[in-house]
């Protein structure tokens, strides 16, 4: 049999009630105190009974003003879009349209390549791609680099045609190659 000593009796007389008190304090008392604090915070945010009608009138007035502002915003006409394009056009269709503009301007396309990165190393979130994304016409804009043969007037004519036809095209850079006469590199977001 186990012998119960004086130390064990003292432990049961002092430590056990302290442990029970700590458990009560931790599990029940803290939760109740937290609930009281939460209720006090919620009560502090409520409007006094005397001020309720004034606060209700103020809230109703703010609601009416917001509804009027919404209706006036809905009644205003949308700005005329400066870009005519479909969001579901494939990349090949877009490229075909750009190549057609180059041909009409008298430029010969020597080559084209997908240039996903800009000269500065930025990704497709560069300003040109971001602008096309913002119009909603190009959810995933493509940046292409075209090597063109032709004179300066042809390049200007192609840029003017992009604008006149309201194409979803943003020229990103035009470089004239020094080693060859009338050879241009044009980077275009489409």
């Amino acid at each position: 049999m186990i012998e119960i000593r004086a130390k064990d009796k003292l432990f049961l007389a002092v430590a056990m009630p302290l442990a029970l008190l700590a458990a009560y304090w931790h599990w029940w008392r803290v939760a109740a105190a937290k609930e009281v604090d939460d209720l006090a915070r919620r009560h502090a945010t409520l409007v006094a009974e005397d001020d309720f009608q004034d606060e209700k009138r103020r809230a109703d007035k703010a609601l009416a003003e917001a509804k009027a502002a919404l209706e006036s915003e809905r009644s205003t006409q949308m700005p005329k879009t400066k870009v005519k394009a479909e969001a579901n056009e494939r990349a090949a269709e877009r490229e075909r349209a750009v190549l057609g503009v180059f041909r009409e301007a008298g430029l010969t396309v020597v080559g084209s390549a997908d240039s996903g990165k800009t000269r500065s190393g930025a990704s497709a979130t560069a300003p040109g791609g971001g602008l096309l994304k913002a119009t909603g016409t190009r959810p995933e804009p493509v940046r292409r680099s075209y090597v063109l043969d032709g004179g300066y007037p042809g390049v200007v004519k192609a840029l003017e045609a992009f604008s006149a036809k309201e194409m979803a095209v943003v020229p990103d850079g035009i470089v004239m190659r020094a080693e060859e006469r009338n050879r241009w590199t044009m980077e275009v977001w489409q």
Side-chain angles (χ1 to χ4, degrees):
M1 223 177 195
I2 299 175
E3 182 182 337
I4 298 177
R5 300 175 300 184
K7 281 178 25 178
D8 296 332
K9 290 179 184 177
L10 182 64
F11 175 76
L12 287 174
V14 175
M16 282 305 270
L18 285 177
L20 290 173
L21 183 64
Y24 159 77
W25 192 270
H26 180 70
W27 278 294
W28 189 80
R29 174 85 173 135
V30 172
K34 188 176 181 182
E35 185 177 347
V36 168
D37 289 342
D38 288 343
L39 289 173
R41 239 180 283 134
R42 284 179 46 201
H43 183 266
T45 61
L46 296 177
V47 178
E49 190 175 335
D50 299 338
D51 298 334
F52 179 76
Q53 291 300 325
D54 294 335
E55 290 295 324
K56 186 174 186 297
R57 266 188 250 118
R58 254 187 240 126
D60 288 343
K61 182 180 176 185
L63 177 63
E65 289 172 359
K67 283 182 178 179
L70 177 64
E71 286 303 316
S72 70
E73 194 65 34
R74 284 183 178 161
S75 66
T76 58
Q77 289 186 2
M78 294 295 286
K80 186 181 178 229
T81 181
K82 305 236 182 219
V83 176
K84 292 180 183 172
E86 296 294 323
N88 58 358
E89 279 182 319
R90 287 189 229 119
E93 294 171 332
R94 295 184 245 163
E95 186 170 8
R96 189 176 309 119
V98 170
L99 292 173
V101 168
F102 288 149
R103 268 190 240 97
E104 289 173 7
L107 298 170
T108 304
V109 179
V110 178
S112 74
D114 183 18
S115 56
K117 297 232 179 229
T118 60
R119 285 186 300 264
S120 62
S123 65
T125 58
L131 288 172
L132 287 177
K133 246 183 179 177
T135 63
T137 58
R138 297 290 179 253
E140 295 180 27
V142 177
R143 187 167 183 269
R144 294 200 58 85
S145 179
Y146 295 97
V147 179
L148 308 167
D149 276 344
Y152 177 75
V155 173
V156 171
K157 189 175 177 184
L159 293 174
E160 289 173 346
F162 289 147
S163 177
K165 291 182 178 186
E166 297 178 348
M167 294 176 67
V169 174
V170 177
D172 195 35
I174 302 171
V175 178
M176 183 176 169
R177 301 225 178 145
E179 67 271 0
E180 297 179 37
R181 191 174 174 106
N182 292 329
R183 174 119 337 152
W184 303 84
T185 301
M186 183 184 297
E187 294 179 353
V188 176
W189 285 99
Q190 53 190 20

